[in-house]
Amino acid sequence: MLRPQFSWSWTTYFYFSGYSDIAKKAYDTQALSKYLDMANVYAYDYHGHWDQTTNHHSAIEQSKGTYHAKYIMDYYTKNGFDKSQLNLGIPFYGQSYTLESKNNGMGASVSGSGVPGKYSEQPGMLTFFEICQNGEW
C-alpha cells in the first residue's frame, strides 16, 4: 500500500474493467495490488441489445463464458489482489429490449434496444426507479 510510504491518510483505489480480456491486456494486477488499498470492479453491461438475444446484463454467475461477476472477481484474486481489496460494482439500472416476437425469456431474439425510460431517455436502459415506477409489469 502507498500509505506507509507517505504521511497521508488517503485511501488509494482504482476502477477496473469487468472484462477479463481487457484486464489481461490493460493492467499489471500483480504490481497494482501491492500499491492499492481498493480495486473497484465494474461488473456490469456484459450483455444488452447488441447481443441480439436477451440475457442478464450483470450476471453473478453463468454456466458458460467469462462475462459474469464471479469470473472477473476470481480473475483478480488469482492475479494479485486479496479479496479484502476488491469491491464489486453492481448496477442500479436494467437493460431493456425490443423482442422480435412474443417469445420471451433468456435467449429470446431481439430486434433492438427497448423504449427509453421517461427520465433517463436512453434507449435500451431503464434506471432503477423507472423500473420500480412502471405499473405495466
Side-chain angles (χ1 to χ4, degrees), residues 32-124:
L32 288 168
S33 67
K34 295 174 187 171
Y35 299 106
L36 295 173
D37 295 302
M38 290 187 301
N40 300 309
V41 181
Y42 290 144
Y44 42 86
D45 288 340
Y46 290 127
H47 300 284
H49 64 88
W50 53 87
D51 292 325
Q52 299 176 329
T53 59
T54 58
N55 205 333
H56 194 292
H57 70 99
S58 304
I60 297 296
E61 189 170 8
Q62 290 184 340
S63 60
K64 61 181 180 176
T66 62
Y67 291 168
H68 55 89
K70 184 179 183 323
Y71 185 90
I72 194 62
M73 298 305 273
D74 286 347
Y75 170 81
Y76 284 115
T77 57
K78 289 174 184 172
N79 288 281
F81 282 96
D82 186 81
K83 289 181 181 181
S84 67
Q85 290 175 279
L86 296 172
N87 293 314
L88 176 63
I90 58 172
F92 285 95
Y93 61 90
Q95 296 285 349
S96 63
Y97 306 89
T98 299
L99 299 174
E100 284 187 350
S101 69
K102 293 201 182 270
N103 296 327
N104 58 29
M106 297 295 272
S109 295
V110 169
S111 62
S113 59
V115 176
K118 179 179 179 181
Y119 303 102
S120 62
E121 299 180 348
Q122 182 175 337

Side-chain angles (χ1 to χ4, degrees), residues 1-8:
M1 309 304 152
L2 287 177
R3 195 176 301 140
Q5 306 296 325
F6 301 97
S7 61
W8 63 36

Side-chain angles (χ1 to χ4, degrees), residues 116-122 125-127 129-130 133:
K118 179 179 179 181
Y119 303 102
S120 62
E121 299 180 348
Q122 182 175 337
M125 194 211 58
L126 296 170
T127 62
F129 66 87
E130 288 172 323
Q133 291 176 347

